[in-house]
Amino acid sequence: MKYIVIVPDGMADHPIEELDNRTPLEAARTPNFDFIANEGVIGRVKTIPERMKPASDVANISILGYDPAKYYTGRGPLEAANLGVELKKGDVAFRCNLVTVTNDTMIDYSAGHISSKEASILINTIDKQLGSDKFKFYPGISYRHLMLARHGTDEELQKLDCKPPHDISGKNVTKNFPRGKNADILINLMYQSRKILQSQEINNVRVDLKENPANMIWLWGQGEKPDMPEFKAKFGVQGSVISAVDLIKGLGKILGMNVINVPGATGYYDTDYTGKAKAALESLKKDDFCFIHIEAPDEAGHNGDLREKITAIERCDQLVLGTILEAFKNNKDFRILVMPDHATPISLKTHSSDIVFFGMYGKGIAKKNFSALNEKEAQKSDLFFEKGHELMEYFIKHSD
C-alpha cells in the first residue's frame, strides 16, 4: 500500500463577499479535489489543540500523527534540523525573518520575498557583526533564517512571548517586540540589525528597483530540540517529505523520513508544483508514504491576495493531485489524504484556529458521494477528529 498526503498550506478560508460569499476553494476550479470527495470521504479535523497558537509547525506535527501538546517545543528547532544545525542541551533556536520596517511599521514580513542569494549575503553580514560566543546566525531560504542562542544563554529567552512577523503586518513594531524577562536581549539585536542592514548595497539596489529592502531581522518561534519517535517506528511505514520550507523538511528529518529537495520548489507562488508531484511518485518506488507540502496558498493568504490564492489552489489540484491520480489510475493499492494544515483567511492575513476539512480516497475507503471538497461541504460529514493527531492513524490503518 502506498500512502500520499497533500497539504496545500493555509488553503482553508472564510466566505468572501466579492466571491458571492464563497471561499477561495469554493470559487476555484478543482475537479481532482472534488473527485476525492465524490469517490471517497470527507470530514473535519482540529489540527490546533486548545490554548496553542494556529501555526504551521503545530498543525503539521498534528497532521503527521503527533500530539503537539506533548511534542511541540517551537518552530526554530525544526528549521535548525533541516539546516544541519545541531542543538545541544540548553541551546535555543529562533526563527530569524528578514523583514521590511518603515517608520516603526511592519511593512513586509518577507522583505519582498527576497531571493536566497541576496538573503544569504545579508545574514552572513549580520553574523559577522552581531554573532558571538552566545549567538550564531545561519542563512536559510528566502526570508526564512535561523539564530541559535548557545548553551549558557539566559534560559529566560525560551519563555519570551515573541510574535510572528506575519501576524503584525501593517502594525506598530515597537508595540509588538518580544515580551518577558530579558526580552531586551532580543530587542537590542533587532535594533542593531536595522543599523547594519539599511546601509547594505543589496538593499540600496532593492530600493532603486522599488523592491522592499530587508532592513531588519525579526526573532521569534524559539524552542529547544524536541524528542519525537520516528515515523516508521510509530506507523510502520517508511516515509518521505517534499517541501520548500525548512520547517517541514526539518520536521521530516527529526522523524527519520527521507527529505527530498525539488529543484524549482520555492515556497512561493512560482513553485514547481508538477516537479513536487513527480518527485513524490519517484520516492514511492522505494518508500510507502509521501508527505507533500505546498506553501503557496498560505503565502497568498498572508498577502491578502485573493487571485493568487485561487490560482495556487487550482495548481495544487491540477498539477499536484492531478499528476498523482493519473499515475495511479491503473494501480488501486494506494490512499490519498488531502487537507490544509490550518486556515489563512484573506480577510485576516494570518492563521486562524478554525477546524479544517480533509478528503480521503483509495483502497479500503468507502465511497460516500460528497459533492465537493471544501469548507461548506465538510460540515455535512459526521466524520470528525477532535484530536488532530489521531487522523494519521485512521488514514493508515482504517478500513471500511
Side-chain angles (χ1 to χ4, degrees), residues 20-323:
D20 296 324
N21 288 318
R22 294 175 297 167
T23 66
L25 178 57
E26 289 179 281
R29 296 181 298 275
T30 55
N32 295 300
F33 287 167
D34 296 342
F35 172 84
I36 296 293
N38 301 157
E39 299 297 323
V41 66
I42 64 176
R44 296 171 299 129
V45 57
K46 187 175 183 178
T47 58
I48 309 296
E50 293 293 337
R51 295 183 295 279
M52 296 193 76
K53 295 180 180 179
S56 291
D57 42 19
V58 172
N60 281 281
I61 287 173
S62 185
I63 293 173
L64 281 162
Y66 296 79
D67 184 357
K70 179 178 180 181
Y71 293 108
Y72 178 71
T73 65
R75 177 181 297 242
L78 302 180
E79 303 201 5
N82 188 59
L83 294 176
V85 178
E86 183 179 356
L87 271 63
K88 299 179 181 179
K89 185 175 177 59
D91 288 348
V92 178
F94 285 79
R95 168 71 172 271
C96 175
N97 273 45
L98 284 172
V99 302
T100 305
V101 174
T102 302
N103 296 328
D104 208 32
T105 298
M106 180 66 69
I107 300 298
D108 188 343
Y109 68 89
S110 69
H113 285 272
I114 188 170
S115 72
S116 297
K117 183 177 180 181
E118 291 172 300
S120 180
I121 294 171
L122 295 178
I123 290 296
N124 285 329
T125 298
I126 289 293
D127 186 57
K128 287 179 182 178
Q129 298 194 40
L130 297 183
S132 65
D133 59 343
K134 290 187 176 182
F135 301 107
K136 174 71 176 175
F137 295 83
Y138 297 89
I141 301 295
S142 184
Y143 62 90
R144 311 173 184 96
H145 309 283
L146 186 78
M147 185 189 81
L148 177 65
R150 298 182 190 278
H151 178 62
T153 301
D154 196 316
E155 64 180 16
E156 294 295 332
L157 295 182
Q158 168 72 14
K159 303 175 184 178
L160 292 177
D161 179 14
C162 299
K163 294 186 178 181
H166 52 257
D167 280 359
I168 59 169
S169 294
K171 296 181 180 179
N172 182 276
V173 169
T174 303
K175 292 180 180 178
N176 288 283
F177 272 146
R179 295 181 181 181
K181 184 178 179 181
N182 292 338
D184 59 298
I185 294 174
L186 295 189
I187 295 171
N188 184 52
L189 288 170
M190 291 157 73
Y191 269 132
Q192 289 186 68
S193 76
R194 194 168 183 180
K195 296 176 181 178
I196 294 168
L197 292 172
Q198 65 184 6
S199 64
Q200 297 302 306
E201 182 62 23
I202 285 173
N203 279 326
N204 293 334
V205 172
R206 290 184 67 81
V207 170
D208 289 342
L209 295 173
K210 301 188 183 307
E211 298 174 342
N212 286 339
N215 59 14
M216 188 176 184
I217 63 170
W218 191 269
L219 301 170
W220 63 288
Q222 72 274 21
E224 297 179 302
K225 184 178 180 179
D227 183 16
M228 305 173 72
E230 292 194 350
F231 189 83
K232 184 176 182 179
K234 186 172 176 63
F235 294 106
V237 291
Q238 178 59 47
S240 59
V241 167
I242 295 173
S243 177
V245 298
D246 288 325
L247 161 64
I248 303 299
K249 293 192 285 188
L251 178 58
K253 287 184 177 180
I254 288 172
L255 299 182
M257 304 172 81
N258 297 317
V259 175
I260 300 170
N261 294 311
V262 178
T266 64
Y268 200 50
Y269 305 154
D270 60 348
T271 198
D272 188 346
Y273 296 84
T274 304
K276 286 189 173 185
K278 290 182 177 179
L281 293 171
E282 184 65 27
S283 75
L284 289 169
K285 292 179 180 178
K286 60 181 185 303
D287 294 332
D288 295 319
F289 176 97
C290 188
F291 186 90
I292 311 168
H293 172 267
I294 307 105
E295 181 76 1
D298 186 62
E299 293 291 340
H302 285 305
N303 292 332
D305 195 329
L306 177 57
R307 179 178 295 182
E308 287 291 354
K309 184 159 189 179
I310 292 174
T311 298
I313 290 170
E314 291 179 342
R315 289 173 176 169
C316 289
D317 176 272
Q318 177 186 353
L319 303 178
V320 181
L321 179 56
T323 299

